[in-house]
Amino acid sequence: MTQAPAPPGSSRRRHDREIIALAVPAFGALVAEPLFLMVDSAIVGHLGTPQLAGLGIAAALLATAVSVFVFLAYATTAAVARRVGAGDLPAAIRQGMDGIWLALFLGIAVIAVTLPMAPGLVDVFGASDTAAPYAVTYLRISSLGIPAMLVVLAATGVLRGLQDTRTPLYVAIGGFAANAALNAALVYGAGLGIAGSAWGTVIAQCGMAVAYLVVVVRGARRHGASLRPDAAGIRASAQAGVPLLVRTLSLRAILMIATAVAARLGDVEVAAHQIILSLWSLTAFALDAIAIAGQAIIGRYLGAGDTEGARQVCRRMVQWGIASGLVLGALIVLARPLFIPLFTGDETVQDTLLPALLVVALSQPVSGVVFILDGVLMGAGDGPYLAGAMVVTLAVFAPVALLVPALGGGLTALWWAMALMMTVRMLTLWLRTRSGRWLVTGATR
């Protein structure tokens, strides 16, 4: 007897439960990450302005270095989730170990570059003579933790692919608490100054990496998966990550162009731009959490050969993205009298950022769709298309943004250009998902 299909409402509720179960812990883990820098800044700030300036420069360099390798999480999530969907847990964990080994090797390479080049990198950022020594000290010590940071990225991808976002949340909370305690103890208790802050962060990051490895190694032993580095598997992980690296670099270029254009508009405009960019990044955490759920769920469905299930969850997640964007946009508008004074008391800056902030609020539903479809295609392992789409977006955005000061436009015009950029991204991603070409099934793509 053929079983009757589940009612549409039942299917939606099942998808909603899956999305919430993965997205809520993922959001907590994402929010915990920037708190590391906030703690460092709060503690180092009491040492003096040069120390805080040095920390800011070094932290920007470290954030750039680590963000370039975020593909370690994204590509690993998709690859592991496919094998989970195919019912092959040993192969899923083996795939995850390949990503972790790749992260370790890349981290060692970054150390080899950063240690000797630290003074030159700091000079590129235009550090003052008083801040530069502190920046170099913090950068050199903190770079020793980069392998651990990259292992954390890859291991997070493994657990997300295994449909586990709770463990990354717990590890992030533990790492945040350890970082705060170690910073206070080493900076003030041991009198190490900014070097103590760097060592505290390195130790906390290494502790997080060890916690992840314990979980993954236990899973590998339970399912009989090999822990040894496999050259072919590591090479395959690197090849899968290259398109996502191109995507990430293109996105970073867009953000750098926007900041450069804002700087050309004037000090007031660049100050207002940084505030808006911070808020824009904060809303991105909420949307990215849903996208992370999409990566894990879509990969699993395609690994199981269920294209209709993948389509259904994609449609449901787009609805989530639009709804989340509408809520975030409304919150930005309604809460602006509360949060704008927290960033600046300068009325000129406030007046400048307000109309641009409204553009951000209006474009949040578009951002919601972009983040969701980005996550869906990542979960499908559709990296080459994502890379090409982002390069096209960069090619459209760059000339429009660079024309803003030439045509006498202000900060609001720049953020309309950012809205255009998100719209182009939405169109390219929508065309791909509508085509169905991303629906490639099987344990591997």
Side-chain angles (χ1 to χ4, degrees):
M1 182 176 178
T2 304
Q3 187 176 1
S10 173
S11 178
R12 283 196 298 269
R13 286 192 294 272
R14 177 167 52 84
H15 292 321
D16 289 346
R17 286 194 296 270
E18 277 191 307
I19 293 166
I20 292 170
L22 291 171
V24 172
F27 176 70
L30 289 170
V31 171
E33 291 175 11
L35 292 179
F36 272 76
L37 179 58
M38 289 179 63
V39 168
D40 289 4
S41 299
I43 292 174
V44 171
H46 291 286
L47 295 174
T49 300
Q51 289 90 333
L52 185 58
L55 170 66
I57 293 167
L61 286 164
L62 286 167
T64 300
V66 174
S67 67
V68 164
F69 298 111
V70 73
F71 69 83
L72 290 166
Y74 294 157
T76 304
T77 297
V80 171
R82 274 185 175 271
R83 284 162 174 79
V84 169
D88 192 348
L89 281 176
I93 295 173
R94 174 67 260 176
Q95 177 72 39
M97 285 305 305
D98 291 336
I100 290 172
W101 279 111
L102 175 62
L104 184 62
F105 294 146
L106 288 173
I108 293 170
V110 173
I111 290 178
V113 172
T114 304
L115 285 178
M117 292 184 62
L121 292 171
V122 169
D123 286 341
V124 169
F125 269 65
S128 67
D129 291 340
T130 53
Y134 296 111
V136 171
T137 297
Y138 190 93
L139 180 59
R140 278 182 165 157
I141 296 173
S142 292
S143 68
L144 300 177
I146 287 178
M149 295 181 197
L150 299 190
V151 166
V152 165
L153 281 177
T156 300
V158 175
L159 295 181
R160 288 173 182 170
L162 294 170
Q163 318 296 295
D164 176 10
T165 56
R166 290 181 179 272
T167 300
L169 172 61
Y170 300 147
V171 174
I173 293 172
F176 168 72
N179 182 61
L182 287 166
N183 266 260
L186 296 175
V187 171
Y188 297 119
L192 296 179
I194 195 170
S197 177
W199 281 117
T201 300
V202 168
I203 295 169
Q205 291 284 357
C206 289
M208 291 173 67
V210 169
Y212 274 119
L213 289 175
V214 167
V215 174
V216 175
V217 168
R218 282 179 179 171
R221 287 176 175 169
R222 188 182 311 122
H223 295 286
S226 174
L227 297 173
R228 294 181 179 179
D230 176 67
I234 293 170
R235 187 164 54 250
S237 295
Q239 289 171 348
V242 168
L244 295 181
L245 175 62
V246 173
R247 169 199 168 276
T248 300
L249 290 174
S250 299
L251 180 58
R252 296 293 298 184
I254 286 170
L255 298 178
M256 289 175 63
I257 289 171
T259 300
V261 169
R264 290 177 62 186
L265 295 174
D267 290 347
V268 170
E269 285 78 6
V270 75
H273 174 75
Q274 287 304 115
I275 294 171
I276 296 172
L277 194 60
S278 298
L279 292 168
W280 190 72
S281 300
L282 183 61
T283 62
F285 283 127
L287 299 173
D288 201 27
I290 306 174
I292 286 169
Q295 293 172 29
I297 296 170
I298 291 293
R300 193 187 76 230
Y301 272 105
L302 293 178
D306 188 354
T307 57
E308 182 54 33
R311 284 185 185 275
Q312 287 180 6
V313 78
C314 176
R315 284 194 293 268
R316 189 56 179 161
M317 295 191 75
V318 168
Q319 292 170 2
W320 270 75
I322 294 171
S324 300
L326 289 169
V327 170
L328 290 170
L331 285 174
I332 289 172
V333 173
L334 295 174
R336 68 188 189 282
L338 299 176
F339 63 74
I340 289 177
L342 295 177
F343 286 96
T344 179
D346 189 324
E347 292 185 1
T348 305
V349 175
Q350 291 182 2
D351 292 341
T352 301
L353 71 84
L354 187 56
L357 191 64
L358 295 177
V359 175
V360 173
L362 288 171
S363 63
Q364 282 303 297
V366 173
S367 297
V369 175
V370 167
F371 274 84
I372 296 307
L373 295 183
D374 205 41
V376 165
L377 295 182
M378 281 186 189
D382 206 10
Y385 182 84
L386 288 171
M390 190 61 79
V391 170
V392 169
T393 303
L394 172 60
V396 172
F397 171 77
V400 174
L402 294 172
L403 280 173
V404 168
L407 297 177
L411 187 65
T412 303
L414 174 60
W415 276 94
W416 275 118
M418 290 287 285
L420 171 66
M421 178 270 294
M422 294 301 289
T423 303
V424 172
R425 286 187 70 188
M426 183 182 71
L427 289 173
T428 57
L429 298 174
W430 175 77
L431 287 171
R432 184 62 168 184
T433 52
R434 188 171 180 270
S435 73
R437 294 177 183 173
W438 57 281
L439 291 164
V440 179
T441 59
T444 59
R445 183 176 170 86

